[in-house]
Amino acid sequence: MISNQIIQSSIEDLRTITRIDLCVLDTEGSLAASTFDMQNISRDVLDAFVNSQAESQSLQGCHFFKVYDEDQLSYVLLSRGTGEDAYMIGKVAVSQLQSLIVAYKERFDKNNFVQNLLLDNLLLVDIYSQAKKLHVSIEALRVVYLIETKDEKDAMALETVRSIFAPSSQDVITAVDEKNIVVVKEIGQEDTYESLERIGNLLVDMLNTDMEPKIRVGYGRIVDQLKDVSKSYKEAKMALDVGRIFYPEKTVVAYHTLGIGRLIYQLPLPLCEMFMREVLGENLPDTFDEETLVTIQKFFENNLNVSETARQLFVHRNTLVYRLEKLQKTTGLDIRVFEDALTFQIALMVASYMKYLEELER
């Protein structure tokens, strides 16, 4: 249903141009929008007009008009005045309201269609038939962005996203749950994953309005068939989940860059536990002290370079070597050796994933 704010804005624009006051009431007589005080309009007169066969009448100093949604009476429009100008402007306003009803109804239907498409609630034949009815292209390049907000029902964030993408475009902005905004974006042949990354960063910059980051964006791979949009949506959802576990510093996460994190995310918990016992035994990462964890992280960041790591940690090279040897005695892994470093890095990621699963169960 079209909002009262939209109706108010529409008739105010007409009032500014034509100087004819207008009022819109629903079929129960409740005020939807008005540019004048219509207290003098009798409810009995309104009811009589609604129940009559007439499409328009001149009553109590106003022209009354009926506004339909298809064959269903939706509104009564009043144009103040009894002259020809008031009648003509009333007819224009009726036409404009009916066009708005059709546009918003189509938008509502398209929104429902896309939501069902994302959630795999449609058969293939239904996808094609509804897409044709709603003038949605079957074959077009699309990608799905999933925008995660901290606050539930963040209406301001939703409106900001809609303002970023032109309303006249083929992009669809919707929501399938309380905290996530979905953008199904149609792209061109010239678009690359680099340009998609820039759009993701634009969304984050536009939506994060204070010092504490609240918005994260994930996006899936490009698809060229409408039926595959749900696949890109699932990938965007996985990108946010995997990014939350393994790459918490990232505010924009792309599915195609998840790497080994995507593999670990799909492992069953028993397999993860078995791997951790085989690699580290009882020496799980959460048993390490803060100094050891910082040393390991910095060592990996510097590509196993002992000298550079020692410099950044402000310690002597021998001190760093001592810490690494102590870690080797505890875990049996010498992370100065590439193979052991790779095993240890995977173990840290598996530990993060197991911790994430434990928190979900609480």
Side-chain angles (χ1 to χ4, degrees), residues 285-294 326:
D286 56 4
T287 64
F288 298 153
D289 58 45
E290 184 67 22
E291 181 183 81
T292 301
L293 290 173
V294 170
K326 181 181 177 182

Side-chain angles (χ1 to χ4, degrees), residues 7 18 20 56 76 123 128 132 179 201 209 216-217 222 255 262 271 276 288 291 296 319 341 351 356:
I7 297 175
T18 65
I20 300 293
S56 66
V76 174
L123 298 173
Y128 290 140
K132 184 177 181 181
K179 292 180 64 174
N201 285 315
T209 56
R216 296 173 65 248
V217 175
I222 299 170
Y255 177 84
R262 181 168 64 242
L271 189 59
M276 295 299 288
F288 298 153
E291 181 183 81
I296 295 167
T319 302
Y356 168 76

Side-chain angles (χ1 to χ4, degrees), residues 286-342:
D286 56 4
T287 64
F288 298 153
D289 58 45
E290 184 67 22
E291 181 183 81
T292 301
L293 290 173
V294 170
T295 299
I296 295 167
Q297 181 181 1
K298 189 63 68 175
F299 190 57
F300 286 157
E301 287 177 1
N302 288 291
N303 298 315
L304 315 186
N305 187 309
V306 175
S307 299
E308 182 59 24
T309 303
R311 187 186 70 80
Q312 292 188 19
L313 290 174
F314 304 103
V315 299
H316 193 276
R317 189 177 190 279
N318 291 343
T319 302
L320 177 59
V321 170
Y322 170 76
R323 291 181 186 176
L324 298 177
E325 289 177 347
K326 181 181 177 182
L327 180 66
Q328 181 182 2
K329 290 177 183 178
T330 304
T331 63
L333 295 173
D334 184 359
I335 62 174
R336 291 170 294 182
V337 178
F338 175 76
E339 185 175 346
D340 283 0
L342 180 60

Side-chain angles (χ1 to χ4, degrees), residues 67 83 122 143 154 228 267:
V67 182
L122 297 172
V143 66
D154 194 337
D228 293 328
L267 293 175

Side-chain angles (χ1 to χ4, degrees), residues 5 18-19 45 52 63 81 83 105 122 133 137 162 214 257 268 272 303 307 309 327 335 346 355 360:
Q5 290 89 341
T18 65
R19 300 181 183 237
V45 170
S52 72
H63 284 290
K105 190 173 182 180
L122 297 172
K133 178 181 176 182
S137 175
R162 283 178 174 154
K214 297 195 299 183
T257 64
C272 293
N303 298 315
S307 299
T309 303
L327 180 66
I335 62 174
I346 294 173
K355 184 177 180 182
L360 285 181

Side-chain angles (χ1 to χ4, degrees), residues 232-300:
S232 186
Y233 167 68
K234 291 171 185 173
E235 291 172 351
K237 195 172 182 180
M238 181 183 286
L240 280 179
D241 287 342
V242 173
R244 188 182 302 109
I245 302 167
F246 304 119
Y247 317 111
E249 73 285 354
K250 286 189 175 183
T251 54
V252 178
V253 189
Y255 177 84
H256 71 281
T257 64
L258 296 179
I260 196 170
R262 181 168 64 242
L263 296 177
I264 295 173
Y265 180 76
Q266 299 178 80
L267 293 175
L269 182 58
L271 189 59
C272 293
E273 292 172 342
M274 183 175 67
F275 172 78
M276 295 299 288
R277 285 195 301 269
E278 290 177 355
V279 174
L280 297 177
E282 300 300 322
N283 301 301
L284 297 179
D286 56 4
T287 64
F288 298 153
D289 58 45
E290 184 67 22
E291 181 183 81
T292 301
L293 290 173
V294 170
T295 299
I296 295 167
Q297 181 181 1
K298 189 63 68 175
F299 190 57
F300 286 157

